[in-house]
Amino acid sequence: MTELLHAAVSPPNVLATGLLVFVLLYWLVVILGLLDFKTLDVQTGHDFDVPHDVHVGTDASGMGVSWLNHALAFFNLGRVPLMVFLSFVALPLWVGSILLNYYLGNESWLLGLGLLVPLFIGSLLLAKVLTLPFVHLFAAMERNHDEGAQPLGKVCTVLLPATHERLGQVSVQLRSGAPLMLNVRAASPTTELRKGDSALIIDYDAQRRCYLIEPYDVA
């Protein structure tokens, strides 16, 4: 056990160990109920916004976003939560790093960093395979969640500012349970909703995977 701990914190393995420790701490916080396991989630689709002060060609920007979306989808990200996928990356990466550096007798941080590159690529591909069963599981969970929680027509509170082009987030209180957090955009191109505003959920945009909202006067 002492040898394993020494190997885990040795220079060639410290990065892999750090990633594994981060994942373990994250799940500990989730178990304690301080975070939702989808807190650091990512989505594929058209949710990547280019800042207005960055001038890039439309074709280059679109190709970059498309490439990123395809890469995320290839590794099942957007269909399984990011931290679930990262967990399946971190463990084989750490085990592979420990074993490879042990059998090579390597104590060099630089060589260990070089070995992490193929190990990381292999761990990504392994994680893709290992998360395939979870794709169907989370898809079924999402369908059940949507069937049991219909936010359309509900009044919500804006948590993150939203416009027609920029993705925001709202909280909506259903009849039972904790408030539901939803990704949203303003239904009108001229509307801007700020944090703390009340809004009405009027539709769902299946293409961009978010709800459409409009300002609502609760008075």
Side-chain angles (χ1 to χ4, degrees):
M1 188 66 177
T2 303
E3 292 182 357
L4 180 60
L5 291 175
H6 179 268
V9 297
S10 65
N13 300 314
V14 69
L15 290 179
T17 300
L19 179 61
L20 182 64
V21 169
F22 167 74
V23 169
L24 293 175
L25 289 176
Y26 177 86
W27 287 116
L28 178 61
V29 173
V30 170
I31 291 172
L32 294 176
L34 301 178
L35 284 178
D36 182 81
F37 75 97
K38 288 188 177 182
T39 300
L40 301 181
D41 204 4
V42 296
Q43 291 184 336
T44 58
H46 302 277
D47 295 336
F48 299 97
D49 296 310
V50 179
H52 297 295
D53 56 346
V54 178
H55 300 284
V56 295
T58 303
D59 292 340
S61 176
M63 289 177 61
V65 172
S66 177
W67 179 89
L68 180 58
N69 285 332
H70 280 87
L72 293 175
F74 176 79
F75 288 110
N76 298 326
L77 289 168
R79 294 186 289 175
V80 298
L82 171 63
M83 292 305 298
V84 172
F85 180 83
L86 191 58
S87 300
F88 283 103
V89 173
L91 185 57
L93 179 67
W94 181 76
V95 172
S97 179
I98 292 289
L99 293 177
L100 190 57
N101 285 295
Y102 172 78
Y103 286 112
L104 291 177
N106 176 44
E107 291 291 336
S108 168
W109 181 86
L110 189 59
L111 178 58
L113 184 62
L115 293 174
L116 274 182
V117 176
L119 284 173
F120 183 68
I121 295 173
S123 297
L124 285 176
L125 296 174
L126 181 59
K128 170 183 168 60
V129 175
L130 294 176
T131 54
L132 284 176
F134 292 89
V135 171
H136 304 291
L137 174 63
F138 284 107
M141 291 173 60
E142 187 172 344
R143 284 197 301 270
N144 292 336
H145 181 271
D146 291 342
E147 291 171 359
Q150 295 295 337
L152 294 182
K154 302 289 186 182
V155 177
C156 60
T157 301
V158 178
L159 300 179
L160 295 176
T163 66
H164 187 68
E165 297 299 328
R166 186 170 297 278
L167 193 70
Q169 191 174 68
V170 300
S171 170
V172 56
Q173 181 65 59
L174 301 177
R175 283 182 291 182
S176 61
L180 188 63
M181 306 300 178
L182 302 174
N183 292 327
V184 298
R185 295 179 190 268
S188 170
T190 60
T191 300
E192 180 178 356
L193 293 115
R194 297 180 174 85
K195 181 179 179 181
D197 289 351
S198 294
L200 184 67
I201 303 172
I202 62 172
D203 201 359
Y204 180 74
D205 187 335
Q207 183 179 10
R208 298 197 290 183
R209 298 177 63 187
C210 65
Y211 288 88
L212 301 179
I213 60 175
E214 61 181 18
Y216 183 81
D217 187 0
V218 295

